[in-house]
Amino acid sequence: MADWQVVEGGVTAPKGFIAAGIVAGLKSTGAKDLALILSQSDAIAAGVFTTSQVRAACIDYCRQCLQLKASARAILCNAGQANAATGEAGWSDAQESARLLAQELNIDPQAVLLASTGVIGKRIKMEQLRQGIMPLVRAASEKGGADAAKAIVTTDLVTKEIALESTIEGRPVRIGGMAKGSGMIAPNMATMLGFITCDAAVSTGLWHQMLKRAVDRSFNQVTVDGDTSTNDCVLALANGQSRTTAITEDSPNAQKLESMLTAVCQHLAKAIARDGEGATCLIEVQVSGAPSDRAASQVAKTIVGSSLVKSAVFGRDPNWGRIAAAAGRAGVKFHQDELNIKLGDLVLMRNGQPQEFDRNAASNYLKTAAAGEYLQGDTVLISVDIGLGSGQSTAWGCDLTYKYVEINAEYTT
């Protein structure tokens, strides 16, 4: 049983954090489009970023800041323009964005981390951003987490946020998070956009290690369409306001904090997969019997990312052959006569042999899962055992629908 509870507030649930989300005019829709997360004291900062060779200016800016100083006070995120592939002008825009916020807050520009989301090749609408900085700062409050979560979305249908509370040394400790993402989802070292706040005291190196491992077990285990973004990043701030003793090395306290961090990241990652563009359901692939956890992850991600598997789920077609084929091409050696496949509780293959199963029941399972009526909510569970060892992993994705094509065919037109 988890040693924590869900609390309200998102990124402002931890002590010492305030946030805001406003309409600055960056989006043509008139929706909220500029977000701020602010720690009221210096916070240990860590980030994990896209490995794409085509990167947004905010990615390079954050990397530069964190290399110079592993602490920060604020995260500024604009939605509407990705500011990726925008050359020297885009870099200047990023620098000016940080400088403007720093001046308003009276802090060092290097204490401002940046994120952008929107159309690649489009620079930030700087006139609107300039005019938005002052009202954004004035709007920041302990109740501003929900507005901030709204201000970072693009094609998302819902906002994604959570906060958990536990105790360390008898004192309450909280971790909050919010994320955005719906399309262009196949993270490589990071995610779409994810922001984490924490009021525990933790050393710089350990906080970065915790974040990296949590991301590997969450955001790096989701896919919607196989496309890695130019703007993928997870930024995490820990300000120590819980007043616990600093966690500097592996210990029960460190393990508890990392478990909370991983749970926050996994909740957000699954919410992103469930909200995949055009999706009707979440797909969860559990792989066991692999020679290592890494190998299991490779198989799970290959299956959940298969266009044929995703299409079959959308068509409510229990075509287990597509699952077997995806497992077979994942690059992990195993004996096909030891392969086991289940759809929910239905056994489709045992020890490499096809099993008789009720196809109507399997199809109904897919239909009711997509409708959110099944016991597991709106999740289609696929279980695969490759019979080689103790390695195991879970990956998440969604079905592939006509709506996905429609959304992306008309994205800029």
Side-chain angles (χ1 to χ4, degrees):
M1 184 176 178
D3 188 20
W4 56 73
Q5 61 182 350
V6 177
V7 294
E8 295 182 352
V11 292
T12 57
K15 288 183 179 179
F17 286 96
I18 57 177
I22 67 165
V23 177
L26 301 171
K27 293 179 181 177
S28 60
T29 60
K32 291 185 187 335
D33 49 22
L34 192 61
L36 169 68
I37 300 172
L38 178 64
S39 175
Q40 295 174 317
S41 61
D42 285 343
I44 298 300
V48 188
F49 305 97
T50 182
T51 56
S52 173
Q53 297 305 300
V54 179
R55 300 181 301 275
C58 58
I59 298 295
D60 291 336
Y61 184 86
C62 286
R63 280 176 166 163
Q64 184 180 94
C65 288
L66 293 177
Q67 286 173 356
L68 294 172
K69 184 180 180 182
S71 64
R73 287 284 306 279
I75 298 172
L76 175 68
C77 179
N78 71 278
Q81 302 85 43
N83 199 26
T86 50
E88 293 182 3
W91 175 249
S92 295
D93 291 342
Q95 290 181 305
E96 183 183 354
S97 299
R99 186 170 61 252
L100 288 168
L101 180 61
Q103 289 174 349
E104 189 65 29
L105 294 171
N106 194 28
I107 61 175
D108 189 330
Q110 292 180 356
V112 176
L113 300 179
L114 302 175
S116 300
T117 182
V119 179
I120 295 171
K122 297 293 185 182
R123 291 172 56 189
I124 302 169
K125 294 180 179 179
M126 290 304 296
E127 185 57 37
Q128 288 86 339
L129 185 137
R130 293 183 190 106
Q131 295 177 5
I133 292 295
M134 182 181 292
L136 179 69
V137 171
R138 289 180 176 177
S141 74
E142 293 179 353
K143 297 182 179 180
D147 285 337
K150 291 176 183 176
I152 66 173
V153 302
T154 49
T155 59
D156 307 54
L157 295 179
V158 297
T159 57
K160 304 160 182 73
E161 57 178 334
I162 190 174
L164 302 179
E165 178 181 286
S166 187
T167 57
I168 292 179
E169 298 176 348
R171 301 185 68 88
V173 170
R174 291 182 171 186
I175 298 181
M178 69 183 196
K180 66 83 52 182
S182 186
M184 195 175 278
I185 307 298
N188 188 2
M189 296 302 292
T191 185
M192 299 45 63
L193 293 182
F195 306 122
I196 308 295
T197 58
C198 176
D199 56 17
V202 59
S203 67
T204 301
L206 189 58
W207 185 234
H208 179 77
Q209 293 170 18
M210 287 181 177
L211 180 65
K212 176 61 172 64
R213 288 192 291 263
V215 166
D216 280 342
R217 295 166 184 158
S218 57
F219 297 118
N220 272 348
Q221 290 296 106
V222 298
T223 182
V224 168
D225 47 21
D227 280 298
T228 295
S229 172
T230 56
N231 292 53
D232 290 348
C233 72
V234 180
L235 300 173
L237 304 180
N239 65 9
Q241 290 296 303
S242 63
R243 305 303 180 192
T244 58
T245 302
I247 300 172
T248 60
E249 58 186 17
D250 187 34
S251 64
N253 287 343
Q255 292 166 13
K256 177 182 284 190
L257 188 66
E258 184 170 339
S259 294
M260 287 176 65
L261 177 61
T262 301
V264 165
C265 291
Q266 287 184 343
H267 174 91
L268 296 173
K270 287 191 282 186
I272 287 169
R274 176 61 186 86
D275 192 31
E277 289 173 341
T280 67
C281 63
L282 175 70
I283 302 173
E284 180 173 312
V285 177
Q286 299 177 352
V287 172
S288 59
S292 66
D293 289 349
R294 182 179 294 273
S297 171
Q298 194 168 325
V299 175
K301 290 173 71 174
T302 301
I303 294 171
V304 83
S306 165
S307 294
L308 291 176
V309 172
K310 290 155 65 71
S311 298
V313 171
F314 172 60
R316 319 311 175 207
D317 178 12
N319 187 347
W320 59 264
R322 294 180 174 180
I323 300 171
R329 68 174 173 82
V332 175
K333 292 184 178 181
F334 63 88
H335 301 294
Q336 63 178 341
D337 58 1
E338 295 180 352
L339 181 62
N340 297 279
I341 300 173
K342 290 173 61 179
L343 178 64
D345 295 327
L346 297 167
V347 178
L348 311 183
M349 173 174 273
R350 179 180 287 123
N351 296 327
Q353 298 299 311
Q355 301 296 297
E356 293 291 335
F357 67 95
D358 187 334
R359 294 189 65 86
N360 287 332
S363 183
N364 286 334
Y365 166 74
L366 295 172
K367 291 176 182 177
T368 54
E373 299 168 359
Y374 191 69
L375 181 62
Q376 299 195 38
D378 59 357
T379 303
V380 170
L381 177 62
I382 297 172
S383 304
V384 175
D385 189 312
I386 61 176
L388 280 180
S390 59
Q392 56 187 348
S393 184
T394 301
W396 298 276
C398 61
D399 54 345
L400 180 59
T401 71
Y402 310 132
K403 189 66 176 177
Y404 175 85
V405 177
E406 179 182 330
I407 291 169
N408 286 283
E410 302 172 356
Y411 189 65
T412 64
T413 56

